[in-house]
């Protein structure tokens, strides 16, 4: 059944007419899909489309399940490549705009890492207190719902899901349709390996080398880079990212000190450094460590008298260190205003010189962007604290996961289709292929480590270089420029098949009234008219208006008014060739056709939204 919170939200936001016209059913699954032309409907969901996306927004649920199973999928942008890649978040209060914000972060993160994948994200609306059996059933049914989007979206784990859940997705949809799978599936298990946390550590190491270039800026004139033995770090959120960041920091820099950590139960602080190895082992067993460690050591007097404990985890941000790593799932960890309810206000924060954002903090929402600008002016410009933006530094997880697609699964190691969905038979098949799958996982792990090191170090170099060259630039601006520049560099090489949008298709036997209704409902500039032979014509609002004006009455049959001389694009046409066709024929849209089969459409509006039309018009005249 549809989750109650999800139904309440959608009923409040979308009119009944949208439910009637957009609701599709496929077996027990129900879908409502919205594309970039659905500006009004996206707005009702809280999503403001821009030049990057979103490309697809889906609301979906399972109508036959006794459990509440439903959620959202957002494919934001496919400029870097197809499919999009991003995790499945599972929380009780998710909304479409939450998932859209996360998907945009993935667009920028994948671009920053120069991965050939777009940005996407999925969200399951579900309570966190489900039994293990019910949790697995929710994941299994959600996997079946997203199967129809496997050409455009590759899922991985996120808050509320893990590597074991990706195993469930792979059992349902195949090994190549889930990321961060366990090692027995040839996967790169980003949670187990601490891929994202390790990326934050690499970023810090790189910044220790790069930050001297900032001394030309007034706020960094007094910057001193500490020796490893004097390097101190605070970690907000000792979880899947933070715990691994602490562990890997001390593996890479054994003399450094993690002097403070926090989790939901409070925070621990010691200027001499915390016992990270012990706390990491405790985290693996218990997940929440601050309160339990304090009870067993401080209250029992077992020698940890230099460790300070507080039940308020936010107070960790009052402490001072060279580096703060925000790694909790809290996007709003700092702000200048109390009213936005950040973890800490800037006037009360400790003294730091660099913030390495291990948690996802980016949002395209205008209000959130304004708050971010306020914070960076205070923290970066006035206090001289460098901020390494989340998607430049915490991309280790997606880089590791991407290796499962970049290093192809051999045909003989793909689960046979007739086994999919049958856990017992798949488990047996995995045992039979364990050796080869383990070797595949090891190759992907090594590739992930090398790619992560290279990508994050490159990002830190470009970030510092951009900030050092422009005193007025803020870190978030520099980070966005890095990612958008990489997206733009890929655009000119796109083909029609890579950027096309869905086109409404209508049978030649339908009436003009039905065509008019479809044009209005879809907000599309064009309809493809088909018969048994394939594409036979196109219809626009202008065709309908012109025919009515000439005859004084609406035409009865589409074949009377449609344009039979169809200008079309091949799926192999480049964007530049498409622009030239649109200009030469003075049209605003055309279908993409392959051997008579209609694949989608390209419109001037689409190219403008991708920030391409003006650029490529100039090129076409050269």
């Amino acid at each position: 059944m549809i989750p109650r919170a999800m139904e309440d939200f959608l009923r409040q936001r979308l009119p009944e007419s949208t439910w009637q016209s957009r609701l599709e059913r496929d077996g027990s699954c129900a879908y409502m899909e919205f594309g970039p032309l659905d500006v009004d409907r996206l707005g009702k969901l809280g999503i403001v489309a821009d030049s990057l996306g979103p490309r697809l927004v889906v609301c979906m649920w399972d109508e036959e399940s006794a459990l509440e199973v439903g959620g959202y999928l957002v494919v934001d942008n496919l400029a870097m490549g197809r499919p999009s890649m991003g995790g499945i978040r599972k929380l009780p209060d998710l909304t479409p705009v939450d998932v859209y914000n996360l998907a945009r972060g993935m667009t920028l993160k994948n671009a920053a890492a120069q991965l050939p994948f777009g940005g996407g994200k999925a969200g399951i609306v579900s309570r966190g207190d489900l039994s293990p059996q019910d949790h697995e059933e929710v994941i299994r049914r959600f996997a079946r719902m997203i199967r129809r989007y496997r050409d455009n979206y590759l899922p991985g784990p996120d808050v509320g899901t893990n590597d074991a859940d990706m195993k469930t997705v792979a059992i349902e949809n195949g090994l190549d349709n889930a990321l961060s799978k366990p090692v027995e599936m040839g996967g790169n298990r980003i949670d187990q390996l601490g891929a994202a946390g390790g990326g934050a550590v690499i970023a810090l190491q790189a910044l220790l080398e790069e930050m001297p270039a900032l001394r030309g800026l007034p706020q960094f004139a007094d910057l001193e880079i500490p020796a490893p033995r004097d390097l101190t770090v605070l970690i907000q959120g000792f979880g899947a990212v933070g715990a691994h960041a602490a562990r890997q920091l001390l593996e890479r820099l054994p003399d450094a000190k993690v002097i403070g950590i926090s989790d939901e139960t409070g925070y621990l602080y010691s200027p001499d450094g915390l016992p990270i190895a012990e706390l990491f082992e405790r985290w693996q067993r218990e997940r929440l460590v601050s309160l339990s460690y304090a009870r067993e050591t401080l209250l029992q007097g077992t020698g940890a008298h230099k460790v300070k404990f507080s039940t308020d985890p936010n107070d960790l941000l009052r402490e001072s260190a060279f580096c703060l790593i925000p790694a909790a799932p809290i996007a709003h960890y700092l702000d200048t205003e109390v009213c936005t309810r950040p973890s800490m206000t800037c006037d009360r924060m400790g003294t730091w010189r660099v913030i390495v954002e291990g948690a996802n903090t980016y949002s395209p929402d205008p209000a959130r962007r304004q708050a971010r600008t306020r914070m960076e002016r205070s923290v970066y410009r006035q206090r001289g604290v460098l901020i390494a933006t989340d998607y430049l530094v915490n991309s280790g997880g997606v880089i590791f996961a991407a290796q499962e697609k970049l290093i192809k699964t051999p045909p003989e190691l793909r689960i046979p289709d007739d086994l999919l969905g049958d856990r017992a038979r798949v488990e047996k098949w995995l045992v039979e292929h364990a050796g080869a799958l383990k070797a595949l996982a090891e190759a992907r792990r090594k590739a992930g480590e090398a790619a992560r090191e290279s990508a994050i170090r490159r990002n830190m170099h470009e970030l510092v270089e951009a900030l050092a060259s422009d005193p007025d630039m803020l870190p978030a601006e520099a980070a966005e420029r890095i990612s958008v520049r990489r997206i733009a560099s890929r655009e000119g090489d796109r083909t029609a098949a890579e950027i096309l949008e869905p086109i409404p298709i209508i049978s030649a036997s339908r009436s003009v009234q039905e065509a008019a209704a479809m044009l209005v409902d879809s907000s599309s500039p064009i309809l493809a008219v088909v018969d048994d032979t394939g594409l036979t014509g196109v219809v626009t609002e202008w065709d309908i208006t012109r025919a009515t004006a000439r005859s004084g009455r609406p035409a009865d049959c589409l074949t009377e008014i449609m344009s039979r001389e169809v200008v079309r694009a091949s799926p192999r046409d480049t964007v530049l060739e498409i622009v030239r066709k649109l200009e030469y024929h003075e049209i605003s849209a055309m279908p993409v056709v392959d051997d008579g089969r209609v694949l989608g459409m390209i419109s001037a509006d689409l190219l403008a939204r991708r920030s391409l039309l003006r650029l490529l018009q100039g090129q076409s005249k050269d």
Side-chain angles (χ1 to χ4, degrees):
M1 72 181 79
I2 183 172
R4 181 63 178 271
M6 179 180 178
E7 182 174 23
D8 290 346
F9 177 86
L10 293 177
R11 290 289 182 187
Q12 291 171 7
R13 297 300 185 100
L14 299 176
E16 184 62 30
S17 59
T18 298
W19 285 77
Q20 293 176 357
S21 62
R22 290 305 180 90
L23 185 58
E24 293 182 48
R25 289 181 172 85
D26 183 2
S28 67
C29 300
Y31 302 88
M32 283 196 288
E33 299 180 358
F34 305 101
L37 297 178
D38 295 306
V39 176
D40 290 341
R41 293 184 176 96
L42 291 175
K44 293 181 188 303
L45 296 175
I47 296 172
V48 179
D50 59 20
S51 61
L52 289 178
R55 186 181 180 92
L56 174 69
V57 176
V58 186
C59 310
M60 52 189 157
W61 59 91
D62 189 324
E63 295 187 319
E64 294 183 2
S65 170
L67 291 169
E68 291 187 348
V69 181
Y72 308 102
L73 167 66
V74 176
V75 176
D76 179 50
N77 185 285
L78 294 172
M80 293 298 294
R82 188 191 302 262
S84 66
M85 183 182 295
I88 300 175
R89 182 163 291 202
K90 180 176 170 289
L91 290 172
D93 55 354
L94 283 173
T95 65
V97 72
D98 295 329
V99 181
Y100 165 59
N101 289 344
L102 294 166
R104 174 56 52 82
M106 292 306 304
T107 294
L108 299 175
K109 184 181 295 189
N110 291 344
Q114 292 189 315
L115 296 172
F117 304 104
K121 206 78 172 184
I124 301 175
V125 181
S126 178
R127 304 193 326 267
D129 59 352
L130 297 178
S131 68
Q133 295 77 13
D134 285 350
H135 173 88
E136 182 181 316
E137 179 67 6
V138 168
I139 298 297
R140 186 178 69 84
R141 287 182 176 271
F142 193 78
R144 291 181 177 182
M145 285 192 287
I146 63 174
R147 182 186 301 162
R148 69 187 287 176
Y149 304 106
R150 58 186 177 272
D151 291 338
N152 286 326
Y153 173 63
L154 265 175
D158 196 73
V159 176
T161 61
N162 55 33
D163 299 344
D165 295 322
M166 295 308 105
K167 179 176 181 177
T168 298
V169 175
I171 288 172
E172 293 295 324
N173 297 343
L175 291 181
D176 289 335
N177 295 303
L179 300 172
S180 187
K181 301 180 292 291
V183 66
E184 64 263 28
M185 284 184 156
N188 238 351
R189 66 269 187 215
I190 61 178
D191 285 342
Q192 180 183 343
L193 295 173
V201 174
I202 292 168
L204 175 56
Q205 286 185 288
L207 289 172
L208 293 174
E209 301 167 9
E210 300 284 350
M211 284 180 69
L214 294 174
R215 289 189 178 123
L217 301 175
Q219 67 267 39
F220 290 101
D222 63 344
L223 175 66
E224 294 184 7
I225 303 299
R229 67 178 179 277
D230 298 318
L231 177 63
T232 55
V233 178
L234 302 172
I235 298 179
Q236 180 194 29
F238 199 73
V241 177
H244 282 285
R247 175 182 62 83
Q248 294 187 48
L249 174 67
L250 298 186
E251 288 176 357
R252 285 172 169 262
L253 297 170
D255 294 330
K257 297 182 183 69
V258 177
I259 61 174
I261 66 164
S262 68
D263 59 23
E264 293 177 22
T265 63
Y267 88 89
L268 300 170
Y269 174 83
S270 172
D272 295 332
L274 294 169
I276 292 302
E278 178 183 348
L279 290 171
F280 184 81
E281 290 180 4
R282 183 183 292 266
W283 172 77
Q284 288 182 306
R285 296 191 311 268
E286 304 173 9
R287 293 309 182 194
L288 297 176
V289 304
S290 294
L291 180 59
S292 66
Y293 179 83
R295 282 174 173 167
E296 292 185 17
T297 57
L298 303 182
L299 299 182
Q300 296 176 13
T302 56
H305 57 279
K306 292 185 179 181
V307 177
K308 179 168 66 175
F309 168 73
S310 169
T311 56
D312 186 349
N314 290 336
D315 278 348
L316 176 71
L317 275 66
R318 293 173 178 256
E319 306 290 356
S320 296
F322 181 80
C323 174
L324 168 70
I325 300 179
I330 302 170
H332 206 41
Y333 65 97
L334 272 180
D335 197 0
T336 58
E337 306 293 335
V338 178
C339 60
T340 62
R341 302 181 68 183
S343 299
M344 187 61 58
T345 52
C346 298
D347 61 324
R348 300 166 66 202
M349 64 182 245
T351 300
W352 318 314
R353 293 318 303 255
V354 62
I355 298 172
V356 178
E357 294 184 336
N360 293 324
T361 63
Y362 176 82
S363 172
D365 177 71
R368 289 269 299 277
R369 289 170 70 92
Q370 289 175 7
R372 176 72 181 212
T373 298
R374 290 196 308 267
M375 183 273 279
E376 291 200 348
R377 285 174 180 159
S378 173
V379 174
Y380 168 74
R381 191 167 289 164
Q382 296 176 18
R383 288 174 170 79
V385 182
L386 175 62
I387 304 172
T389 309
D390 61 346
Y391 52 83
L392 296 185
V393 305
N394 68 8
S395 56
V398 73
I399 291 171
F400 268 50
Q403 307 311 311
E404 297 180 37
K405 198 71 174 176
L406 296 174
I407 298 179
K408 304 295 184 184
T409 303
E412 66 273 15
L413 292 182
R414 295 174 186 160
I415 301 171
D417 289 345
D418 64 326
L419 300 187
L420 293 179
D422 189 330
R423 178 174 284 268
R425 295 175 68 198
V426 170
E427 294 279 12
K428 181 180 178 182
W429 184 90
L430 291 173
V431 170
E432 294 169 354
H433 297 81
L437 286 167
K438 183 177 180 180
L440 181 62
E442 181 62 12
R444 288 168 167 169
R445 182 189 65 79
K446 291 179 179 179
E449 289 180 347
R452 178 182 64 180
E453 190 88 23
S454 173
I456 294 177
R457 284 187 172 275
R458 180 181 61 243
N459 288 342
M460 295 303 96
H461 173 75
E462 292 185 18
L463 174 67
V464 172
E465 184 179 54
L467 293 172
S469 65
D470 186 349
D472 295 326
M473 186 175 291
L474 293 173
E477 296 174 304
E480 197 166 68
R481 183 175 296 185
I482 290 168
S483 290
V484 172
R485 185 172 61 234
R486 287 176 185 153
I487 292 171
S489 70
R490 296 283 298 255
E491 289 283 13
D493 297 328
R494 302 288 95 187
T495 64
E498 293 174 295
I499 69 169
L500 59 81
E501 293 180 314
I503 184 172
I505 297 176
I506 190 169
S507 170
S509 63
R510 297 291 186 177
S511 69
V512 174
Q513 288 77 10
E514 289 175 297
M518 186 176 289
L519 280 169
V520 171
D521 184 64
S522 66
S523 301
S524 174
I526 190 172
L527 297 182
V529 184
V530 299
D531 59 17
D532 293 341
T533 64
L535 181 71
T536 188
V538 295
V539 171
T540 66
E541 289 185 19
W542 170 245
D543 293 324
I544 296 173
T545 303
R546 180 180 56 184
T548 303
R550 286 178 176 175
S551 65
R553 65 171 182 83
D556 294 323
C557 184
L558 273 181
T559 54
E560 297 179 36
I561 69 164
M562 70 183 186
S563 301
R564 296 179 182 272
E565 299 292 327
V566 180
V567 180
R568 62 191 71 190
S570 159
R572 294 165 291 281
D573 285 349
T574 66
V575 170
L576 183 56
E577 291 170 330
I578 292 165
V579 170
R580 286 171 174 159
K581 284 185 180 181
L582 292 173
E583 287 184 329
Y584 180 81
H585 295 282
E586 296 182 342
I587 56 178
S588 62
M590 59 183 169
V592 180
V593 184
D594 189 23
D595 293 331
R597 186 166 61 96
V598 182
L599 304 179
M601 72 172 177
I602 302 290
S603 67
D605 179 65
L606 166 66
L607 297 179
R609 280 185 279 109
R610 297 174 69 94
S611 303
L612 288 172
L613 188 56
R614 185 176 301 172
L615 169 65
L616 294 174
Q617 280 176 332
Q619 291 181 3
S620 68
K621 293 180 173 63
D622 291 342

